[in-house]
């Protein structure tokens, strides 16, 4: 797992005689990783009252006509990302990005499933149902109903302004609900299941979890990160050691459910079969109670299909993932995985 560091560069520059050797060119900087290191710090005071209202306000805006109320919640310098799309900057651009991703489904009903809060970030898990009334991602308006399971990471200021939004849902899983031929990789079972992650009849207020900044939470983060280290290092024994015997890996919106260490092992082997020189990069990680929210990227040279998507002409791929990990007895017991594998092959309109 790569860790951005400037210490080695500083020492190298200090050891070079300036009269004989010119300064090296400036290295590429992963600004997102730098920001992530700052954002992970947690204030003992926790989120303000204004920040606590953000999750409900954001979800309400997702369900509102033309995403009314979203722009007023955004900081003037707010930024937005979705895997496979160009990033957006500023309130107008961010509202337009939401409209391109979700605005084709009218009317929309949305509800919050769970919320994880720190002093400066909230992870909001949501489910949206709607009718496809206009063309979307290359699919003609079908008038069909869809269910979209997604998660949004929201960074906030004390006054409740949103400074950064990272939205995740699986485009292929949605296309599968719109009809045969729209997206081949998704199985017929997934088409029939729609959103299989939750009980469709469930109701009531969302579950809310708040960070305590405890040693146990920090330990949980280390366990979750350790699984990515093991994946990158091709260390199957260490990967399996971090998983509970009854671990479940779930992709909300799809019918597939991986159970037990055997299922986790199959995923591990499939990833290394599909990606050479596999690399993992964690951009954000928070321990919140018994959960870890882990945002990361996997990259490398694609050798075989990934989630049904064939190797691309440019075989170097990077795809982005959010795992919500539940820890039990120092093991990873349940993983809810949010990603958009279509980002490898198709860039949504920007």
């Amino acid at each position: 797992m790569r860790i951005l560091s400037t210490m080695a560069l500083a020492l190298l520059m200090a050891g070079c005689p300036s009269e004989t050797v010119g300064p090296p060119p400036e290295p590429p900087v992963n600004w997102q990783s730098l920001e992530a290191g700052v954002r992970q710090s947690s204030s003992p005071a926790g989120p303000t009252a204004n920040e606590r209202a953000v999750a409900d306000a954001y979800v309400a805006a997702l369900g509102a006509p033309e995403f009314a109320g979203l722009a007023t919640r955004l900081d003037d310098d707010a930024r937005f990302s979705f895997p496979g799309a160009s990033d957006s900057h500023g309130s107008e651009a961010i509202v337009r990005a939401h409209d391109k991703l979700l605005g084709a489904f009218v009317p929309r009903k949305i509800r919050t499933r769970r919320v994880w809060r720190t002093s400066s970030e909230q992870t909001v898990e949501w489910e949206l149902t709607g009718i496809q009334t206009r063309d979307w991602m290359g699919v003609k308006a079908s008038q069909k109903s869809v269910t979209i399971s997604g998660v949004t990471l929201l960074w906030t200021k004390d006054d409740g302004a949103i400074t950064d939004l990272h939205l995740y849902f699986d485009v292929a899983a949605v296309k599968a609900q719109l009809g045969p031929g729209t997206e081949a990789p998704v199985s017929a079972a997934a088409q029939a299941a729609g959103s299989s992650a939750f009980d469709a009849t469930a109701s009531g207020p969302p579950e809310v979890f708040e960070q305590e900044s405890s040693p146990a939470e920090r330990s949980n983060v280390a366990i979750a990160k350790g699984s990515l280290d093991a994946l990158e290092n091709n260390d199957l024994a260490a990967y399996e050691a971090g998983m509970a015997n009854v671990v479940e890996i779930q992709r909300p919106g799809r019918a597939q459910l991986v159970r037990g260490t055997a299922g986790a092992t199959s995923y591990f082997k499939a990833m290394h079969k599909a990606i050479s020189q596999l690399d993992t990069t964690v951009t954000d990680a928070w321990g919140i109670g018994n959960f870890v929210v882990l945002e990361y990227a996997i990259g490398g040279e694609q050798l075989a299909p990934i989630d049904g998507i064939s190797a691309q002409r440019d075989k170097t791929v990077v795809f982005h993932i959010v795992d919500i990990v539940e820890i039990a007895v120092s093991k990873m017991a349940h993983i809810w995985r949010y990603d958009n594998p279509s980002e490898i092959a198709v860039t949504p309109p920007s």
Side-chain angles (χ1 to χ4, degrees):
M1 183 166 61
R2 289 183 288 137
I3 302 175
L4 185 66
S5 173
T6 58
M7 183 63 71
L9 178 62
L11 291 173
L12 178 62
M13 293 175 65
C16 294
S18 60
E19 64 272 15
T20 59
V21 180
E26 294 219 2
V29 179
N30 183 342
W31 292 109
Q32 187 179 27
S33 292
L34 285 173
E35 293 172 359
V38 174
R39 293 186 310 207
Q40 290 178 42
S41 63
S42 178
S43 167
T48 65
N50 287 332
E51 287 176 304
R52 291 178 189 279
V54 165
D56 287 343
Y58 175 75
V59 170
L62 287 188
E66 300 181 351
F67 302 92
L70 177 57
T72 60
R73 286 284 173 173
L74 299 173
D75 183 74
D76 291 341
D77 198 38
R79 296 180 181 273
F80 170 83
S81 68
F82 177 81
S86 300
D87 290 357
S88 301
H89 180 205
S91 60
E92 291 185 5
I94 291 172
V95 172
R96 286 197 301 270
H98 278 76
D99 183 64
K100 288 173 182 176
L101 290 168
L102 298 171
F105 306 101
V106 180
R108 294 184 300 275
K109 292 184 179 180
I110 187 164
R111 58 176 173 150
T112 308
R113 292 293 189 176
R114 295 180 291 183
V115 178
W116 293 265
R117 287 197 190 112
T118 75
S119 63
S120 59
E121 189 277 342
Q122 298 183 49
T123 299
V124 184
E125 187 181 49
W126 47 265
E127 184 180 82
L128 180 150
T129 58
I131 308 294
Q132 188 205 4
T133 56
R134 72 178 198 228
D135 296 356
W136 176 80
M137 302 287 180
V139 180
K140 295 293 184 182
S142 66
Q143 307 304 318
K144 291 184 178 180
S145 175
V146 298
T147 299
I148 303 175
S149 297
V151 70
T152 306
L153 279 57
L154 302 169
W155 283 264
T156 57
K157 292 181 174 180
D158 287 351
D159 63 3
I162 300 171
T163 60
D164 202 354
L165 307 86
H166 297 181
L167 187 151
Y168 290 79
F169 68 86
D170 189 338
V171 168
V174 180
K175 285 187 174 183
Q177 299 175 59
L178 297 176
T182 56
E183 193 73 20
V186 184
S187 67
Q191 293 182 35
S195 175
S196 62
F198 307 102
D199 176 6
T201 64
S203 59
E207 293 183 275
V208 178
F209 306 92
E210 301 225 8
Q211 188 177 61
E212 300 173 355
S213 299
S214 67
E217 289 173 334
R218 291 189 287 273
S219 176
N220 290 343
V221 169
I223 292 168
K225 284 185 173 181
S227 72
L228 293 183
D229 286 333
L231 179 63
E232 179 180 278
N233 296 328
N234 201 11
D235 187 343
L236 178 57
Y239 186 80
E240 291 176 333
M243 302 285 174
N245 291 335
V246 293
V247 64
E248 292 188 349
I249 304 175
Q250 202 162 0
R251 295 178 65 187
R254 295 210 179 196
Q256 297 93 331
L257 176 64
V258 174
R259 286 191 173 94
T261 51
T265 299
S266 295
Y267 169 80
F268 180 99
K269 292 181 177 179
M271 291 300 293
H272 278 281
K273 181 180 179 180
I275 300 178
S276 174
Q277 300 179 345
L278 187 150
D279 177 78
T280 65
T281 303
V282 174
T283 53
D284 289 288
W286 301 275
I288 305 170
N290 294 329
F291 294 90
V292 176
V293 177
L294 192 65
E295 185 180 33
Y296 61 99
I298 293 178
E301 181 183 359
Q302 186 181 0
L303 304 178
I306 298 173
D307 209 12
I309 299 174
S310 301
Q312 304 303 295
R313 183 175 300 174
D314 179 0
K315 292 185 177 181
T316 301
V317 296
V318 178
F319 53 102
H320 302 83
I321 302 169
V322 168
D323 281 352
I324 297 170
V325 183
E326 187 173 13
I327 306 291
V329 197
S330 299
K331 299 282 187 179
M332 300 171 69
H334 203 140
I335 302 169
W336 293 266
R337 179 159 293 153
Y338 288 91
D339 59 358
N340 178 34
S342 299
E343 73 169 308
I344 298 172
V346 179
T347 301
S350 60

